[in-house]
């Protein structure tokens, strides 16, 4: 069976409400964006990479990393309310129309997860390779909260567990395992790209990655944690 053709999209919007300038903020001497570009380049399954951004500053940072940015993202895909899948679709169609690369699988790599490894990308691609009935695969990490044990929601003025177990769970380790979705890798088949919205549609599976590689930077605390883990990684 021939290897799938894999396109990596890196979508980096100019406006970041949680952490201003996040995508090009320096992390141990390099803009955050650089780590995702380097990871995509280091993954042997990735055949083509495209940057989608509406920001000239982010485009310049990508070009400083040797990554050309052939277009600017249309403004309708660059607002706070725009769904990321629209940017992924737009970037994929651009590559097909202008760069003659026709992927079987599209992997979106979120800039906010700088500790992901090329192996994490490969693992998601392998999940799809083993089950042709899947539309996509996502990266997951073990959750430190569990809806069967210590996550609650309000019903009126009372709280109840988000998920009711079949029998009472008195120790967290006895609860059914649950996982966080991490945007490190969002892999979708090209045939399904135009119909899926997210995990609400189609058939999905996942690949579990270590929590220390799945830190998703949304705020200052996340950034500091990623910086600490990266320093420890370099020292080991």
């Amino acid at each position: 069976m021939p290897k799938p053709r894999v396109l990596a999209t890196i979508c980096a919007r100019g406006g970041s409400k949680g952490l201003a300038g996040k995508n090009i903020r320096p992390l141990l001497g390099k803009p955050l964006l650089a780590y995702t570009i380097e990871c995509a380049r280091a993954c042997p399954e990735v055949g083509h990479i495209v940057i989608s951004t509406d920001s000239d500053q982010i485009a310049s940072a990508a070009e400083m990393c040797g990554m050309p940015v052939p277009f600017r993202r249309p403004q309708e895909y660059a607002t706070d309310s725009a769904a990321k899948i629209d940017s992924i679709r737009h970037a994929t169609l651009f590559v097909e129309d202008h760069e003659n690369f026709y992927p079987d699988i599209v992997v979106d790599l979120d800039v906010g997860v700088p500790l992901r490894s090329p192996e994490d990308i490969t693992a998601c691609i392998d999940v799809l390779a083993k089950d042709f009935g899947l539309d996509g695969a996502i990266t997951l990490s073990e959750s430190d909260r569990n809806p069967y044990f210590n996550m609650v929601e309000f019903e009126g003025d009372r709280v109840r567990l988000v998920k009711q177990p079949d029998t009472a769970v008195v120790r967290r380790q006895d609860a059914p395992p649950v996982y966080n979705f991490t945007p490190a890798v969002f892999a979708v088949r090209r045939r399904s790209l135009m119909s899926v919205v997210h995990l609400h549609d189609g058939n999905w599976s996942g690949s579990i990655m270590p929590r220390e590689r799945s830190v998703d930077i949304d705020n200052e605390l996340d950034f500091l944690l990623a910086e600490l883990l990266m320093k420890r990684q370099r020292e080991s």
Side-chain angles (χ1 to χ4, degrees):
M1 179 180 293
K3 284 188 173 182
R5 290 163 61 87
V6 179
L7 169 67
T9 60
I10 301 174
C11 300
R13 192 167 61 87
S16 175
K17 293 294 180 65
L19 193 62
K22 175 181 77 173
N23 290 319
I24 54 174
R25 179 170 172 170
L27 174 61
L28 299 188
K30 293 190 289 192
L32 186 62
L33 174 68
Y35 293 94
T36 297
I37 292 173
E38 290 170 1
C39 185
R41 283 176 167 160
C43 181
E45 284 77 20
V46 171
H48 198 85
I49 306 169
V50 63
I51 304 285
S52 172
T53 185
D54 61 317
S55 164
D56 290 340
Q57 285 184 305
I58 292 174
S60 294
E63 288 162 355
M64 291 276 290
C65 296
M67 190 72 232
V69 184
F71 64 89
R72 293 294 181 272
R73 187 189 306 181
Q75 281 303 307
E76 62 264 32
Y77 302 145
T79 66
D80 289 339
S81 59
K84 190 177 186 183
I85 191 70
D86 290 331
S87 296
I88 299 170
R89 290 169 179 154
H90 174 266
T92 301
L93 290 172
F94 181 93
V95 167
E96 291 175 344
D97 291 343
H98 298 275
E99 300 180 359
N100 297 316
F101 185 86
Y102 301 93
D104 302 301
I105 295 172
V106 179
V107 292
D108 184 69
L109 310 177
D110 196 283
V111 175
V113 192
L115 287 152
R116 104 175 46 75
S117 73
E119 290 77 17
D120 297 319
I121 304 173
T122 298
C124 269
I125 295 168
D126 286 347
V127 169
L128 294 182
K130 291 173 183 174
D131 187 344
F132 198 68
L134 290 172
D135 293 296
I138 58 173
T139 38
L140 307 168
S141 65
E142 186 178 353
S143 176
D144 60 349
R145 310 292 293 175
N146 194 300
Y148 294 95
F149 180 67
N150 57 6
M151 293 181 67
V152 299
E153 59 187 351
F154 273 98
E155 283 191 355
D157 60 352
R158 306 295 175 90
V159 295
R160 57 172 287 157
L161 286 170
V162 172
K163 294 278 286 185
Q164 295 297 315
D166 293 333
T167 58
V169 176
V170 296
R171 300 189 311 159
R172 181 179 175 276
Q173 56 265 42
D174 294 331
V178 295
Y179 301 92
N180 295 318
F181 161 59
T182 168
V185 186
F186 177 86
V188 61
R189 292 193 193 279
R190 175 61 180 87
R191 70 172 192 228
S192 305
L193 182 62
M194 296 303 164
S195 58
V196 301
V197 175
H198 201 278
L199 307 182
H200 315 293
D201 307 292
N203 298 309
W204 292 80
S205 189
S207 173
I208 301 170
M209 61 188 288
R211 287 177 63 187
E212 63 269 19
R213 293 209 303 264
S214 64
V215 175
D216 180 15
I217 298 175
D218 282 324
N219 53 49
E220 191 70 34
L221 183 60
D222 295 334
F223 192 93
L224 293 173
L225 177 58
E227 187 175 51
L228 174 64
L229 290 171
M230 196 169 283
K231 284 179 180 177
R232 289 183 62 183
Q233 187 181 75
R234 291 185 178 185
E235 291 168 358
S236 63

